[in-house]
Amino acid sequence: MADTADQKKSTHRRRVRLLPAPAWWPLPAAALLGLAAGGAYGVLKAPEYAATSYVVAVPGDTTEPATALGFAQAYARIATSSSTLAYAQPRAGIAVQKLRTQVRAETSPESPMIAITGTAKTAGEAADIANAVADALSLSSNQAAKNTGVQLLLFNQAVAPSEPASASPALSGAVGLCAGGLLGGLWLLARPTAARRRGEGAVAEGVTDTAAEAVEEYASLPAQSEPATAKEKESVR
């Protein structure tokens, strides 16, 4: 009796092990893979810090405010030019080619203020880059202040940030989880299911049978050049 019970248990275990995986298994598998990839990316990638310095375009006594707004837009475009970065390079301590990839300038169409953001692997370096470019832009633009009637003034210096601007490992993992789940769901929708394959096979068999019947029916018809039978000849006479 004990042996029979053990045999039944082992047979049941074998049946359980041989059960096929559910059809939706790619969805959780892709989600877990994306979670692992996103988390690993967030852990292995070095954090990036960002610091922002602000300069403002101030109109002269005989200059309209709208003119200062227009010059702010123009100065924001030349903030990352080679001439401005050449002024900032000695203070930033970075080559001009590399400095261009670590700084950006933004402005608003409704405000004459320019935001200059520096990015680096350390908080102090990011602040130094932003302040260096802001000072360089102010010095270079103020040389033509007599002709333009607009002067750039430093509104707020950049300070070293306390937290990195790059995504944390938890956020990277969450993004990877969502991306993996989305890809897994798309793969489930795109792949042909067993029912669809059976339906396509049935349709193909039906088309083949219909074609075969048409061929047999066509073969059974008398040829156009076939001579009339003797009985038909007698009836004609």
Side-chain angles (χ1 to χ4, degrees):
M1 295 293 290
D3 295 339
T4 305
D6 294 339
Q7 291 177 359
K8 289 182 178 180
K9 288 181 180 180
S10 60
T11 304
H12 178 68
R13 290 176 181 175
R14 291 176 183 176
R15 290 178 180 178
V16 172
R17 291 177 182 176
L18 296 177
L19 287 177
W24 46 267
W25 70 265
L27 182 60
L32 291 177
L33 183 61
L35 176 62
Y41 175 79
V43 171
L44 297 177
K45 183 184 178 183
E48 187 178 62
Y49 293 85
T52 304
S53 178
Y54 297 92
V55 293
V56 61
V58 179
D61 296 336
T62 59
T63 306
E64 296 181 358
T67 304
L69 182 61
F71 273 100
Q73 302 290 329
Y75 287 140
R77 294 187 181 93
I78 67 173
T80 56
S81 63
S82 299
S83 58
T84 304
L85 297 180
Y87 276 106
Q89 190 272 334
R91 180 177 176 182
I94 302 174
V96 174
Q97 292 79 6
K98 186 178 180 181
L99 185 59
R100 183 178 287 107
T101 62
Q102 294 182 232
V103 65
R104 66 178 184 272
E106 300 173 347
T107 186
S108 171
E110 300 177 356
S111 174
M113 187 173 294
I114 304 172
I116 300 174
T117 303
T119 57
K121 294 182 179 179
T122 61
E125 186 179 359
D128 291 340
I129 290 174
N131 291 327
V133 176
D135 291 341
L137 181 63
S138 300
L139 291 174
S140 60
S141 61
N142 289 339
Q143 292 177 357
K146 294 181 179 179
N147 298 326
T148 60
V150 177
Q151 186 178 8
L152 281 184
L153 298 178
L154 183 62
F155 184 79
N156 187 20
Q157 281 191 337
V159 295
S162 59
E163 296 181 357
S166 57
S168 62
L171 181 58
S172 300
V175 173
L177 176 65
C178 295
L182 178 61
L183 292 177
L186 292 176
W187 190 82
L188 284 177
L189 294 175
R191 71 167 187 171
T193 60
R196 189 186 305 173
R197 288 194 294 267
R198 287 195 299 268
E200 292 176 356
V203 172
E205 292 178 358
V207 172
T208 304
D209 295 340
T210 304
E213 293 176 359
V215 170
E216 292 177 358
E217 183 178 356
Y218 179 79
S220 63
L221 295 176
Q224 294 182 357
S225 59
E226 183 180 354
T229 59
K231 186 176 181 179
E232 292 177 349
K233 292 181 180 179
E234 291 179 359
S235 63
V236 172
R237 291 177 183 178

